[in-house]
Amino acid sequence: MSETLIVAQGTKAEKYETLLIQIEGVVGAESDIIANMANVASMIHETFGFWWTGFYRVIDGELVLGPFQGPLACTRIKKGKGVCGTAWQEKVTQVVPDVDLFPGHIACSSASKSEIVVPMLKNGEVVGVLDIDSAELNTFDEVDRVNLEKVAEILCK
Ligand code: SME
């Protein structure tokens, strides 16, 4: 496996296409979930230059901070709380165009303006979430949702 990330020029969809191929390669070559989450957080973060990219894992009934890229973050989130806890409870990706309009949003950083949280499902149960914050409003759309759900699927295979 190459250890240099290739970032495609072009549309967001084209960038995801190149990213997904590389994520498949990295995750396919390693069985440790923490190592894979760490590399995947880095690869997404480097490709798009988001504000914060990382994972929370479900441990003993709470979401606990996992590998991430970006500033310091809250370590524990309860089910149903914030965007992450909502994605966990509902088992549905949350696309938040403006975090100030999301009831109960947990502000780890005041610079975060929009967010997407993808639940990671194994045998129908949420085992963690992929959380990405942007410093701009309205960053995430269907292209992000569809592709980041593929990322979660690759990690949970
Ligand atoms: N904003 C998230 C908390 C995690 S941080 O964004 C890294 C939430 O509302 O669940």
Side-chain angles (χ1 to χ4, degrees):
M1 166 211 129
S2 156
E3 264 131 39
T4 307
L5 179 73
I6 297 159
V7 178
Q9 300 298 309
T11 64
K12 181 156 78 172
E14 285 162 345
K15 287 196 167 87
Y16 271 116
E17 201 181 317
T18 303
L19 177 63
L20 280 169
I21 294 166
Q22 295 176 92
I23 288 177
E24 290 262 14
V26 164
V27 171
E30 173 56 57
S31 60
D32 186 85
I33 188 71
I34 298 292
N36 286 334
M37 284 176 166
N39 267 335
V40 168
S42 167
M43 293 163 90
I44 296 171
H45 203 72
E46 297 268 302
T47 295
F48 295 107
F50 293 133
W51 176 254
W52 193 94
T53 307
F55 294 91
Y56 284 86
R57 292 185 302 148
V58 174
I59 299 172
D60 295 336
E62 271 184 317
L63 284 171
V64 181
L65 184 64
F68 71 94
Q69 298 274 316
L72 195 68
C74 354
T75 54
R76 286 171 190 268
I77 299 171
K78 295 207 184 305
K79 199 173 197 173
K81 299 291 175 195
V83 187
C84 291
T86 303
W88 176 17
Q89 187 167 54
E90 296 184 3
K91 300 184 181 176
V92 173
T93 297
Q94 307 292 307
V95 178
V96 182
D98 180 347
V99 294
D100 288 339
L101 302 180
F102 188 96
H105 166 256
I106 301 163
C108 292
S109 159
S110 59
S112 171
K113 298 281 183 272
S114 59
E115 182 164 3
I116 185 167
V117 180
V118 179
M120 300 171 63
L121 292 155
K122 199 154 195 170
N123 305 321
E125 290 306 311
V126 177
V127 294
V129 299
L130 166 57
D131 178 14
I132 304 177
D133 288 28
S134 165
E136 319 276 324
L137 291 166
N138 299 306
T139 296
F140 306 104
D141 57 19
E142 273 300 287
V143 173
D144 299 284
R145 187 185 64 76
V146 167
N147 284 287
L148 294 170
E149 285 178 357
K150 285 184 193 162
V151 170
E153 211 175 292
I154 293 167
L155 276 165
C156 288
K157 252 194 254 172

